[in-house]
């Protein structure tokens, strides 16, 4: 049903209500939460539409040739690994691609034999499920808050934050010009411009932005894009500038795991306190709990 027809139908239903019941009906319409499910479902549809738009503008691996370091690191991994962007391709979509022969979950350990092993998938984006977990169960009410996504890539955290939260401003800091252009296209097309701003920059030039942030999100942000020395420098910069007391830091993987791979002077116990999360809020059988437990929340001390 088109919008105008739906509007007329609703008005006809209201006008057809008995006069004695009309005040109660109008009160219910003003105060009910019964429509929330419809709104949430619509937000899911918008995100899926954005993902489809992005898929149509990207190669299947969702990586640009301009990402030299990331491509090289994936190729150098000791076991075969492919990049599958979780925002663009959920498990059902991957299954359909495998059935069509466009993708495989396995590789042959000995060419010509039946010995196969599972390919390792890596994603630099949150899936739709992870985004909903982030904004509905990890983060508090964000009304009036500033969110900064470090390495915003396709903009999934920004778009979900616009739809699923009341954050006043969502900043995506991305140093790859190709991805910035894609994000800007989506921001314009879906009319997110009033609350989303994409910053084409190295995060190490954005001290003032980090200092004013109420929430900072970092998903697999440095390891595949910087060498060890650059990673250490970037983490030191983040630790020196994400210092607003009580602000929140979301990371994948944990800070302990990320910092174990580089040499820094960061003292986690003096910088952050990890907050416990409930990873069992979803009871659905198809929920990827293994992905959820990679999400960590910290409060800045």
């Amino acid at each position: 049903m088109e919008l105008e027809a739906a509007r007329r139908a609703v008005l006809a239903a209201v006008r057809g209500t008995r006069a004695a019941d009309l005040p109660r009906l109008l009160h219910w319409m003003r105060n009910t939460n019964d429509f929330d499910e419809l709104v949430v479902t619509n937000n899911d549809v918008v995100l899926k539409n954005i993902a489809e738009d992005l898929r149509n503008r990207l190669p299947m691996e969702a990586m640009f040739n301009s990402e030299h370091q990331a491509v090289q690191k994936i190729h150098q991994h000791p076991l075969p690994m492919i990049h599958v962007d979780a925002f663009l391709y959920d498990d059902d979509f991957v299954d359909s691609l495998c059935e069509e022969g466009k993708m495989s979950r396995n590789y042959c350990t000995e060419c010509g034999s039946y010995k196969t092993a599972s390919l390792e998938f890596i994603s630099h984006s949150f899936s739709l499920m992870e985004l909903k977990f982030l904004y509905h169960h990890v983060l508090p009410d964000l009304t009036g808050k500033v969110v900064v996504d470090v390495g915003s890539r396709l903009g999934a955290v920004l778009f979900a934050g616009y739809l699923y939260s009341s954050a006043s401003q969502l900043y995506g800091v991305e140093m790859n010009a190709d991805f910035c252009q894609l994000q800007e296209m989506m921001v314009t097309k879906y009319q997110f411009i009033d609350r989303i701003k994409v910053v084409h920059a190295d995060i190490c030039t954005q001290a003032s932005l980090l200092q004013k942030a109420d929430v900072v999100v970092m998903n697999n942000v440095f390891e595949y894009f910087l060498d060890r020395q650059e990673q250490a420098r970037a983490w030191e910069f983040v630790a020196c500038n994400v210092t607003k007391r009580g602000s929140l830091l979301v990371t994948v993987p944990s800070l302990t795991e990320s910092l174990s791979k580089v040499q820094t002077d960061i003292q986690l116990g003096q910088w952050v306190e990890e907050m416990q999360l409930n990873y069992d809020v979803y009871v659905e059988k198809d929920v990827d709990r293994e992905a959820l437990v990679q999400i960590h929340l910290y409060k800045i001390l």
Side-chain angles (χ1 to χ4, degrees), residues 139-183:
L139 296 172
D141 177 19
L142 297 180
T143 301
K145 304 298 184 181
V146 173
V147 176
V148 175
D149 184 21
V150 179
S152 52
R153 200 168 180 83
L154 297 178
V157 168
L158 307 179
F159 308 145
Y162 190 101
L163 295 167
Y164 294 141
S165 84
S166 299
S168 62
Q169 288 293 315
L170 299 124
Y171 292 90
V173 181
E174 173 57 55
M175 61 183 182
N176 185 290
D178 294 324
F179 283 116
C180 286
Q181 184 178 15
L182 273 181
Q183 291 177 78

Side-chain angles (χ1 to χ4, degrees), residues 207 210-213 216 237-247 271 300-301:
L210 289 177
Q211 289 164 13
K212 75 175 184 179
V216 176
F237 186 86
V238 169
C240 287
N241 289 285
V242 180
T243 53
K244 182 193 287 188
R245 183 170 296 178
S247 61
W271 178 34
I300 306 302
L301 301 175

Side-chain angles (χ1 to χ4, degrees), residues 39-49 128 132 163-164:
V39 174
V40 170
T41 301
N42 183 63
N43 289 338
D44 291 356
V45 170
V46 173
L47 278 182
K48 289 178 180 179
N49 287 342
L128 177 59
K132 293 171 75 171
L163 295 167
Y164 294 141

